[in-house]
Every structure is written in C-alpha cells, then in structure tokens.
C-alpha cells in the first residue's frame, strides 16, 4: 500500500517571512543603538567606543613609559628596543592619544637610582603604568617588557569582542603587534 503524499502547503512560517522578520529586527536594533550612542555624545558623556579608545591609548602610553624606564636603566638595549618603543608610540597615536608618547627616552634622560634589592628606580612618564623598579639585568628587563606586551596583547584580544568594527580591527592589529613584540623580546634570551 503506497504512503499518502504530503500536502504542498507547509504548516509553519515560510522562509521569506522569517528572513523579513530578521531583517526588520536588525534594522530596529541598529536604529535604537545608534540613537542611544548619539544621545550619549550629545549629552556630553563619552560613548563606550570612545572610552575603549581612550583606555587603549592610555595602556599603550603606559607601555611606552615602561620602555622609557628600561632604556633609562639599560641604554645598551637602545638598538634592540628603539623600533619596538617607536611602534608602541605609534599605537598611542593610532588610538587618538597623540602627544603623550612622542618624546623618546633619549630626549629626557632620567637618572636611575639603584636600590639594595637589585632594582633601579626610574621616574616614569606615567607613574601609574610603570612599576617603580626596573630589573638590573638586561635579561630580566627584557622579560618584564615581554610580559607586559603579552599581557596587554591578551587584554586587547578580549576587548575587541566588545567594540564595533573599525576599533575592533585596530585592537586586533595592535594585539598582534604586541604578541610579535613579546616574541622578539624573548627571542634573544633563549
């Protein structure tokens, strides 16, 4: 006995109506989030994107200050660290924090003081971003910079999920550069 053929009219919603509903919902969400962001800007408080950009500029500035502190204590590392520091300074500018990271460590020499514990204190450009002590040995100083680059790259890789398109691409690019810097800093110590 043959089985009966199914009816040609589906019982649920059609594909076209589902697609139209999804497109309409996306438009409504896009419109509402755009007005919230423009309202934030109009009211004077920065948007989430602007806050993320400013935070990234501060973090890159802190990294530049860390490079400056290491260069002040270990001037022999200048040839190796100068391109990485310059790249970190360009990251500050890319995030809109121009002017903070432009002077190099050689423009304003800091006078490090060596403590009895084997660390040297350097007056940093941004006191909140740089530890008060720079390791005495070149290897330890490079390892500290590599750890700072790696930590910041990891943080940026997670932050890029919370920001829109262009800033997310910039964060991803700078995170990749930071990971490459960490590799370059540890390459010579192996």
């Amino acid at each position: 006995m043959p089985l009966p053929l199914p009816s040609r009219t589906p019982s649920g919603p059609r594909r076209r109506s589902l697609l139209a509903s999804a497109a309409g919902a996306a438009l409504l969400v896009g419109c509402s989030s755009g007005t919230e962001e423009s309202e934030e800007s109009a009211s004077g408080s920065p948007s989430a994107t602007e806050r993320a950009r400013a935070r990234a500029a501060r973090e890159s500035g802190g990294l530049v200050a860390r490079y400056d502190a290491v260069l002040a204590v270990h001037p022999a590392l200048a040839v190796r660290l100068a391109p990485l520091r310059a790249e970190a300074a360009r990251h500050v500018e890319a995030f809109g924090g121009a002017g903070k990271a432009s002077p190099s460590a050689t423009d304003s020499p800091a006078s490090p003081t060596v403590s009895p514990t084997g660390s040297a204190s350097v007056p940093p450009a941004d006191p909140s971003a740089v530890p008060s002590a720079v390791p005495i040995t070149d290897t330890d100083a490079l390892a500290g910079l590599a750890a700072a680059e790696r930590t910041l790259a990891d943080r940026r890789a997670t932050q890029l999920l919370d920001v829109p398109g262009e800033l997310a691409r910039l964060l991803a690019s700078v995170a990749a550069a930071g990971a490459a810097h960490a590799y370059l800093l540890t390459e010579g110590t192996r």
Side-chain angles (χ1 to χ4, degrees):
M1 169 160 196
L3 294 173
L5 294 174
S7 68
R8 300 293 277 168
T9 57
S11 60
R14 292 185 172 189
R15 187 179 340 160
R16 286 183 192 161
S17 60
L18 285 175
L19 289 174
S21 299
L27 284 174
L28 288 176
V29 169
C31 291
S32 65
S33 66
T35 50
E36 289 172 10
E37 194 167 311
S38 63
E39 286 173 7
E40 281 184 40
S41 298
S43 67
S45 66
S47 70
T49 302
E50 291 168 350
R51 287 190 305 267
R53 186 178 291 274
R55 180 178 57 244
R58 278 192 313 273
E59 290 170 344
S60 289
L63 192 58
V64 170
R66 184 180 284 268
Y67 273 103
D68 289 344
V70 169
L71 285 168
V73 176
H74 303 285
L77 294 174
V79 171
R80 184 172 182 182
L81 296 181
L84 302 177
R85 186 214 174 272
E87 188 72 22
R90 281 192 292 275
H91 295 162
V92 173
E93 293 171 11
F95 287 120
K100 292 183 181 180
S102 55
S104 69
T106 58
D107 291 345
S108 59
S111 57
T113 57
V114 179
S115 70
T117 61
S119 297
S121 296
V122 178
D126 180 10
S128 64
V130 180
S132 62
V134 174
I136 291 297
T137 66
D138 291 356
T139 306
D140 290 342
L142 291 173
L145 281 172
E149 286 274 14
R150 195 174 303 109
T151 300
L152 189 54
D154 291 345
R155 188 175 322 133
R156 286 182 172 153
T158 57
Q159 288 172 348
L160 68 89
L161 300 173
D162 300 328
V163 295
E166 192 61 35
L167 182 57
R169 285 186 286 276
L170 181 59
L171 280 171
S173 175
V174 173
H181 291 179
Y183 172 77
L184 292 171
L185 288 166
T186 58
E187 180 184 311
T189 59
R190 291 181 185 195

